Amino acid sequence: MTLPSQLYVDGAFRAAKSGRTTTLINPATEQPFAEVAAAGVEDVNAAIESAQRAWEGGWRDLAPGKRAEVLFAIARLLRDYAEHLAEFEMLQIGKPISDARDEVMLGARVFEYYAGAVGKFYGQTIPVARGGLDFTLRQSMGVVAAIVPWNFPFPIAAWKAAPALAAGNCVVLKPASLSPLTALALGQIAHAAGLPSGVLQVLSGSGSAVGDALVTHPLIRKVSFTGSTEIGRRIMELASRDIKRVSLELGGKSPNIVFADADWQRAAESSPMSVFANTGQDCCARSRMFVERSVYEPFVEKFVAATKKLIVGDPTKAETQLGPMVSAGQRASVEEYLADARKRGSKFATGGGRPHPQGFYLEPTVLLDVGKEDRCWREEIFGPVVAITPFDDEAAMLREVNASPYGLSGSIWTNNLSRALRVSRAVQSGVLSVNSHSSVHVEAPFGGFKTSGLGRDLGMTAMEGYTELKNVYVAE
Ligand code: NAD
Ligand code: MN
């Protein structure tokens, strides 16, 4: 498989109508390495019209077994070409190769899960009156726009496209301008697997150029978006005109709560990767840590020691844990937060600097004594920065946890079962883990409360979200 560079529209690979391209830069070397087609509004319109034709022309009416067969074939090719996809992901965003491999496999598993779901997705019969029959149908919607960010480009593209296709929709997929390669590769693989022309389109290009045209097109029935809360809000506004369906997976400022009764040593050793993985560019990053005061000092010491051991560097090496940040701009934005922390007198327990002269690297940074009104405590930084604070009282700690406008993810460490249940119920977020940091499971719903989003990805909940529910009553 060679580096993809063209749009996938109407079953063919081609340049943008305008001829425009975007240059991709390898974040680990700062060197340009590819030119990729940059879609314009003409390409968006062509893609949506093709998708509508494909939907009406048969994808929605295909026998479930046939739809499943193509999705399984896609999954198989994803596994066959996994090494290529992992390399594309690494090159475009600097993701360590071992993470990139895991994420490609996750995407393949997502296709398998929804391929298997196709024939097991039922309506209901409902007793409503004497005689007659009332039943529900889960019908496909039409054309779905899937807009994905640059931090987990491939798995997020897969977990939007696969359930939408499985439910009988056609999909226009728009990757972020920094990370088009794995989405375009998915287009190539879908094509090779025999997905009919027009069922999936992949439009690389910038959101500011094509976002509005995509979101407001009258044939788009649903917009499934993952990205910043700011753009999500705009999409929801634009979608309101036609009451288009939206699902939004947005920002986060997730807590990691450690009680003194927990195996806090294990928590301290495993927690650095809960915030620093993907160089902190993770919507689920546990970027606010609450540690019960009696273990605060030894916890911080252990946490900082574990952080210092993280291997930050060349993403091509299998042992690398943290690669560079995605771009110079993203690093500059995080460095502004660090400057603010310095100005406000926070303590840097480790990090804060650039570990390598070349590449957009930033050290994993541990902040202590961060004020509750400071930007580093309140805002999503989207970089390798954590703020740790001690707490004394469970109820007061929970008030502070829930004071955030976000509510995506979080971890709770305790060996007290009652407390685990009580705190799980109390934390206002869509995803939680107890004595673990794992947030994403193919089979389980994933998404946020409050400004972290609307609707859910993954699991059967996501598949429902790509259907309209119809009720039919037939008189006897
Ligand atoms: P972003 O909002 O800048 O961009 C996301 C996508 O939207 C990109 O494809 C971009 O091109 C597109 N876009 C930009 N302007 C648009 C417009 N006007 N209309 C339509 N689309 C437009 O986000 P990002 O910088 O790529 O990613 C970082 C953000 O994503 C963080 O806030 C992070 O928390 C969030 N995120 C959330 C989840 C989740 O599941 N909740 C997962 C990953 C990332
Ligand atoms: Mn952005």
Side-chain angles (χ1 to χ4, degrees):
M1 204 173 194
T2 54
L3 224 54
S5 64
Q6 296 191 305
L7 311 179
Y8 180 45
V9 179
D10 202 23
F13 299 91
R14 64 161 174 82
K17 289 243 167 75
S18 68
R20 285 211 181 86
T21 59
T22 317
T23 304
L24 301 187
I25 308 230
N26 180 339
T29 62
E30 305 187 30
Q31 298 305 309
F33 71 98
E35 288 287 327
V36 177
V41 173
E42 330 72 271
D43 303 303
V44 168
N45 293 335
I48 294 172
E49 285 155 24
S50 158
Q52 178 73 16
R53 284 193 301 275
W55 182 64
E56 291 175 4
W59 183 250
R60 66 178 172 188
D61 300 317
L62 207 61
K66 289 279 169 207
R67 210 148 61 213
E69 208 176 292
V70 187
L71 297 177
F72 274 122
I74 292 175
R76 221 159 24 242
L77 286 178
L78 287 172
R79 289 185 184 280
D80 291 347
Y81 288 92
E83 203 49 37
H84 295 256
L85 271 89
E87 194 185 323
F88 299 160
E89 203 83 305
M90 176 191 75
L91 287 171
Q92 65 187 357
I93 59 166
K95 194 181 286 279
I97 190 67
S98 43
D99 289 352
R101 286 184 181 125
D102 290 349
E103 290 172 24
V104 171
M105 287 307 173
L106 172 66
R109 284 218 295 117
V110 167
F111 269 90
E112 283 152 5
Y113 175 83
Y114 289 109
V118 172
K120 309 184 189 81
F121 190 54
Y122 311 130
Q124 296 174 304
T125 61
I126 305 171
V128 297
R130 206 164 151 221
L133 176 67
D134 188 282
F135 61 93
T136 62
L137 294 173
R138 284 268 174 203
Q139 295 192 306
S140 61
M141 307 169 113
V143 186
V144 170
I147 304 177
V148 305
W150 47 258
N151 60 338
F152 294 97
F154 184 68
I156 295 179
W159 80 46
K160 292 190 185 306
L165 294 172
N169 303 283
C170 293
V171 173
V172 177
L173 170 63
K174 199 207 83 63
S177 48
L178 294 172
S179 57
L181 297 177
T182 40
L184 293 169
L186 175 63
Q188 295 182 345
I189 279 176
H191 189 75
L195 193 73
S197 289
V199 174
L200 173 68
Q201 329 265 337
V202 188
L203 298 175
S204 44
S206 92
S208 52
V210 300
D212 286 11
L214 184 57
V215 172
T216 59
H217 194 293
L219 289 175
I220 293 291
R221 289 286 178 268
K222 168 159 180 164
V223 183
S224 178
F225 173 83
T226 297
S228 60
T229 294
E230 179 198 354
I231 306 286
R233 201 173 270 129
R234 175 175 176 78
I235 285 173
M236 198 166 169
E237 272 170 26
L238 292 176
S240 72
R241 295 183 196 164
D242 298 328
I243 318 292
K244 288 189 205 301
R245 280 62 177 136
V246 290
S247 74
L248 304 170
E249 300 290 350
L250 309 174
K253 187 76 182 175
S254 297
N256 184 2
I257 303 165
V258 182
F259 288 96
D261 67 27
D263 182 348
W264 60 265
Q265 290 91 340
R266 192 161 73 82
E269 269 154 25
S270 68
S271 289
M273 283 305 268
S274 78
V275 56
F276 300 132
N278 211 37
T279 318
Q281 304 162 120
D282 181 344
C283 52
C284 292
R286 276 40 164 200
S287 52
R288 292 187 298 161
M289 298 198 41
F290 299 80
V291 182
E292 198 164 2
R293 194 175 302 273
S294 60
V295 294
Y296 177 75
E297 283 190 12
F299 179 92
V300 168
E301 193 180 316
K302 227 174 172 41
F303 180 92
V304 168
T307 299
K308 286 181 174 161
K309 278 197 224 133
L310 295 175
I311 304 171
V312 185
D314 184 354
T316 64
K317 299 221 166 92
E319 66 273 19
T320 295
Q321 291 170 286
L322 309 185
M325 301 205 63
V326 73
S327 66
Q330 190 62 28
R331 180 172 63 180
S333 142
V334 176
E335 286 178 335
E336 271 178 42
Y337 279 100
L338 298 181
D340 189 68
R342 277 190 195 95
K343 202 172 73 199
R344 312 280 294 181
S346 294
K347 182 174 168 218
F348 284 61
T350 181
R354 298 181 176 186
H356 302 297
Q358 207 186 28
F360 307 128
Y361 290 94
L362 191 60
E363 287 168 339
T365 303
V366 180
L367 300 178
L368 309 175
D369 305 330
V370 178
K372 299 288 184 288
E373 298 308 320
D374 294 1
R375 290 184 64 201
C376 284
W377 184 256
R378 308 207 73 81
E379 298 176 22
E380 180 182 49
I381 299 175
F382 224 58
V385 183
V386 70
I388 314 183
T389 190
F391 73 89
D392 299 293
D393 172 62
E394 182 184 304
M397 176 274 294
L398 284 170
R399 274 195 299 280
E400 181 58 29
V401 164
N402 289 334
S404 173
Y406 292 114
L408 185 56
S409 188
S411 303
I412 301 160
W413 292 80
T414 176
N415 280 334
N416 178 321
L417 185 57
S418 306
R419 173 175 275 148
L421 291 172
R422 186 171 67 235
V423 175
S424 299
R425 287 212 173 85
V427 173
Q428 294 165 359
S429 77
V431 181
L432 285 172
S433 49
V434 177
N435 297 331
S436 151
H437 295 299
S438 97
S439 299
V440 171
H441 309 275
V442 175
E443 305 82 359
F446 175 81
F449 280 23
K450 302 192 279 185
T451 64
S452 286
L454 182 71
R456 294 293 179 269
D457 281 327
L458 296 171
M460 292 309 289
T461 317
M463 193 152 159
E464 281 175 16
Y466 291 104
T467 61
E468 288 288 355
L469 181 62
K470 180 179 284 178
N471 189 72
V472 180
Y473 174 69
V474 185
E476 188 173 282

